[in-house]
């Protein structure tokens, strides 16, 4: 008996060590693949032009330089663009958070016929490619008269209004996902909380703001972070409705052209150096934010009931 | 909506009616947005797809052309149909591997080991980075191209031939082998597009009540049985969520071939009408695929209530 147990134990621990080793190898490989583009950007951002033609230089530049950073910083007008990005991202994500919290609460905690329909519609907005309605939407914002109710046609293009309107009405890109997250979270909260408040004579809105809202902070943080990151990196919507905005993605898109002028398309390697450096400057604030918040980020997503349970 | 004086209000509104009213009031932002920012432009785009749109000084005019735009998309446009088939096939194979990978990664990240926090932080990094402008720039970047090529060629020259010899021993169908090899070559891409899916599954794994596993341990079940009888059924609704998310994410990504086709048409020489027609054909394909997946997978999904 003793020998058998010993052997079984030995076999098990061998299996466990083997699995730990395999897991470590797999994880290191996968992490390498994820970090690879960041490392390659980092390496090339310090390269000078001569390093590009030097075949012995793969990762570590022979003539390291800060010139790329200098160029990118100056031509992206970094401090101004950074501040504009912060303002726009905070505005848009705060509005998205407010609207999707209200709507998520509405369809999760009140039993009415439309609730299921509204939830389905929110998912549909998530599934429809924006190309389907972006052109008519553009025309609506270009000749904005609120369905003919306004006496004059306003031109909202190149103002902040399209971003504000879509964010406040849950129709920005991937807003459906935010409604989904908030709805799932509110669904999972115990009924007694609300009922106690109703018994005490609090109205629907007071119950919401005093009881339910403080308890929903983890989900709200998740929504805000997602919204902030997507707006921070957004190029598509900004370029469509607000192409004069000087946010970081817009400046980054123009960077090779503004440094190299018309010949940027002909000088791919230099363009690449600038693009890589500019991308790093764009994501640096996010990565710093992420390093500090990632624990909170991951944990809050786990507590939000994004899981549908 | 005031419910401060419920006694007086109760005569005019039943509790049920109050509930309905409050629900609609809270949902008002989305109702307005859905109608005016989503539905109205969507209907307009359907109208555009049957018209030719001419920009005038005070707005735009429509010239009815019937099915001409759709005829153009299907018959005249040189690459649209080919691109559409290609995109759909790529999507199907990529979605499959993203699902497999994210499931595997979530299970690993759910285990206890040293450095778990770091591994999680790294795997979720693409959610922060791989979106918007960065994707757009990488798609056309020279250096990324070379480096990625270097990486792919390693797998193309070293891994792929050996693996294909190995796989052929199993007498698998050729199509499957090709698919597996293609997946290995696009592994970096698959890993980088799995962030959200891993997050969703990981959250699901952590939500499974411990008591289920404890009970099965008392019954003497093995880890293998636990996986098939507890873990998989419990996260199956999330697998469906992930399938839908993956399909949508792939189809609406701006680096996608069809999306660039539509943009080129709408803002180029072909005009809004043809652009709209293309978007509707595209939406039809997406919708069809989503409905089929739903019908197939909702039978397999287990809801624990």
């Amino acid at each position: 008996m003793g020998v058998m147990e010993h052997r079984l134990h030995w076999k098990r621990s061998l299996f466990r060590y083997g699995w730990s080793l395999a897991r470590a190898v797999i994880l290191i490989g996968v992490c390498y693949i994820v970090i690879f583009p960041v490392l390659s950007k980092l390496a090339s951002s310090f390269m000078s032009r001569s390093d590009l033609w030097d075949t012995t230089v793969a990762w570590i530049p022979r003539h390291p330089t800060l010139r790329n950073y200098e160029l990118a910083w100056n031509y992206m007008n970094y401090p101004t663009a950074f501040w504009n990005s912060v303002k726009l991202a905070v505005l848009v994500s705060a509005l998205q958070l407010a609207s999707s919290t209200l709507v998520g609460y509405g369809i999760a905690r009140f039993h009415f016929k439309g609730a299921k329909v509204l939830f389905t519609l929110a998912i549909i907005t998530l599934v429809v490619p924006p190309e389907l309605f972006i052109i008519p939407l553009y025309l609506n914002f270009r000749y904005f008269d609120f369905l003919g109710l306004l006496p004059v046609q306003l031109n909202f293009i190149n103002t902040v209004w399209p971003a504000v309107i879509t964010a406040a009405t849950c129709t920005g890109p991937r807003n459906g996902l935010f409604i989904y997250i908030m709805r799932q979270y509110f669904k999972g909260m115990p009924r007694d909380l609300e009922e106690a408040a109703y018994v005490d004579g609090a109205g629907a809105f007071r119950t919401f703001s005093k009881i339910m809202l403080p308890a929903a902070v983890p989900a709200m943080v998740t929504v805000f972070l997602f919204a902030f990151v997507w707006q921070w990196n957004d190029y598509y919507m900004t370029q469509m409705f607000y192409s004069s905005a000087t946010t970081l993605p817009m400046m980054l898109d123009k960077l090779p052209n503004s440094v190299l002028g018309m010949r940027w398309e002909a000088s791919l390697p230099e363009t690449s150096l600038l693009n890589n450096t500019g991308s790093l400057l764009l994501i640096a604030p996010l990565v710093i934010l992420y390093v500090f918040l990632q624990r909170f980020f991951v944990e809050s997503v786990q507590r939000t009931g994004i899981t549908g349970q | 909506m005031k419910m401060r004086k419920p006694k007086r209000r109760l005569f005019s509104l039943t509790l049920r009616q109050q509930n309905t009213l409050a629900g609609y009031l809270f949902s008002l932002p989305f109702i307005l947005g859905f109608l005016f920012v989503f539905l109205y432009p969507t209907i307009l785009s359907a109208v555009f797809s049957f018209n030719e749109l001419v920009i005038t000084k005070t707005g735009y005019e429509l010239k009815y052309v019937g099915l001409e735009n759709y005829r153009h998309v299907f018959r005249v446009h040189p690459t649209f149909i080919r691109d559409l088939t290609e995109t759909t096939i790529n999507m199907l194979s990529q979605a499959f591997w993203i699902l497999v990978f994210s499931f595997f990664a979530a299970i690993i990240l759910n285990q206890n080991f040293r450095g778990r926090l770091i591994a999680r932080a790294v795997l979720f990094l693409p959610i922060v980075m791989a979106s918007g402008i960065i994707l757009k720039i990488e798609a056309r970047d020279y250096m990324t191209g070379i480096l990625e090529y270097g990486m792919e060629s390693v797998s193309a020259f070293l891994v792929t031939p050996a693996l294909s010899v190995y796989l052929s021993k199993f007498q698998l169908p050729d199509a499957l082998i090709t698919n597996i090899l293609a997946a290995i070559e696009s592994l970096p891409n698959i890993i980088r597009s799995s962030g959200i899916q891993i997050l969703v599954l990981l959250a699901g794994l952590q939500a499974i009540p411990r008591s289920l596993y404890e009970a099965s341990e008392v019954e003497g079940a093995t880890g293998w049985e636990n996986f098939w009888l507890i873990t998989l059924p419990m996260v199956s609704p999330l697998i469906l969520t992930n399938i839908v998310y993956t399909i949508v994410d792939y189809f609406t990504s701006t680096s996608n071939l069809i999306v660039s086709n539509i943009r080129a048409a709408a803002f180029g020489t072909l005009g809004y009408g043809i652009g709209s027609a293309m978007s509707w054909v595209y939406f039809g394909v997406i919708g069809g695929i989503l409905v089929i997946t739903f019908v197939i997978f909702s039978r397999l999904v287990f809801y624990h209530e």
Side-chain angles (χ1 to χ4, degrees), chain B residues 44-89:
Chain B
L44 267 186
S45 119
V47 175
F48 286 178
S49 72
F50 296 105
N51 285 281
E52 190 184 329
L53 188 130
V54 188
I55 297 283
T56 61
K57 270 185 184 157
T58 54
Y60 54 88
E61 275 170 16
L62 296 174
K63 229 166 41 188
Y64 183 73
V65 293
L67 285 171
E68 180 55 34
N69 290 331
Y70 287 94
R71 201 189 67 84
H72 184 101
V73 170
F74 282 108
R75 292 286 166 78
V76 184
H77 195 281
T79 61
F80 187 79
I81 292 302
R82 205 180 61 209
D83 291 348
L84 189 61
T85 342
E86 201 183 307
T87 309
T88 312
I89 291 171

Side-chain angles (χ1 to χ4, degrees), chain B residues 101-111 197-198 201-202 205:
Chain B
F101 173 75
S102 58
F103 193 78
F104 191 63
I107 286 184
I108 288 187
L109 290 181
N110 195 34
Q111 293 174 339
Q197 289 87 335
I198 298 174
L201 276 176
L202 187 60
L205 287 174

